[in-house]
Amino acid sequence: MEIRPVGTSALLIEVDDPLAWFAALDAERTAGRLDVTDIVPGARTVLLDGVSSVTTLTATLRSWPPPSAAPVTADDLDIPVTFDGPDLESVATLVGTSKDAVVTALTDAVFRVAFGGFAPGFAYLSGLPWSVPRLASPRPRVPAGSVGLAAEFAGIYPTASPGGWQLVGRTDTVLFDIDRTPPALLTPGRTVRFVAA
């Protein structure tokens, strides 16, 4: 584990299993044993913000054993997806199978929200059975609800925005609603399945 200060009140830790560390740190915060404002998992890091003493927390973290694995939540979510994306055929070619086999693989997969980013409500879903390259040139506008693949992640665009992911389908599921608690539907650790609509 590498620990780096970020400004005067945050730490960035590089770890092998950010989701496991996020769950362990969040449990400590919930129990009142960790005084931080925010815990934000990333692809290979966890950011701890609002740290009262960077020096003390650094020493504490160095003494902790690494968590064995991220706990599996019982908070499963099925997301209906219409698999008619403009890149479905090219994804099938890239992974060496048919479009139907790609859809079957995606609906058989159990995804976990690894971390959020890019836009409010956007979640990087781990569990993709292959790695898929981004588009060579991003689209200037991807419609809200588009289901895309990039590298080892799947994701759903919560709003219309530019994007370079391979689009395989679309959903009407609302991913971000400021009037909902929490506003983001896809929170770290949540289990997600795509259901063919």
Side-chain angles (χ1 to χ4, degrees):
M1 170 177 43
E2 293 289 328
I3 304 173
R4 294 186 175 86
V6 178
T8 58
S9 63
L11 288 174
L12 185 70
I13 60 173
E14 293 183 25
V15 291
D16 291 333
D17 190 344
L19 200 52
W21 276 96
F22 168 79
L25 292 165
D26 191 48
E28 290 294 305
R29 177 177 61 175
T30 301
R33 295 186 295 264
L34 182 64
D35 184 21
V36 298
T37 306
D38 291 307
I39 305 170
V40 183
R44 291 167 182 57
T45 61
V46 179
L47 176 71
L48 298 143
D49 195 12
V51 176
S52 55
S53 171
V54 169
T55 304
T56 301
L57 184 54
T58 298
T60 300
L61 290 173
R62 290 198 190 284
S63 70
W64 281 8
S68 56
V72 175
T73 68
D75 195 15
D76 292 346
L77 177 66
D78 289 345
I79 296 181
V81 176
T82 301
F83 287 98
D84 61 356
D87 303 315
L88 183 57
E89 189 166 339
S90 63
V91 167
T93 300
L94 285 165
V95 301
T97 191
S98 68
K99 291 192 297 185
D100 288 343
V102 168
V103 171
T104 298
L106 292 174
T107 54
D108 285 349
V110 178
F111 295 100
R112 294 214 41 213
V113 178
F115 58 97
F118 171 64
F122 188 91
Y124 290 78
L125 306 175
S126 62
L128 194 63
W130 347 263
S131 182
V132 178
R134 290 174 169 268
L135 297 175
S137 178
R139 291 179 171 92
R141 185 177 186 280
V142 174
S146 295
V147 177
L149 312 176
E152 68 270 25
F153 298 108
I156 305 168
Y157 287 77
T159 57
S161 65
W165 289 37
Q166 305 265 1
L167 304 181
V168 295
R170 57 191 163 84
T171 183
D172 292 328
T173 302
V174 176
L175 299 176
F176 189 80
D177 180 350
I178 196 69
D179 295 322
R180 183 172 54 205
T181 303
L185 182 65
L186 303 177
T187 54
R190 190 164 197 186
T191 304
V192 176
R193 290 180 184 269
F194 293 151
V195 177

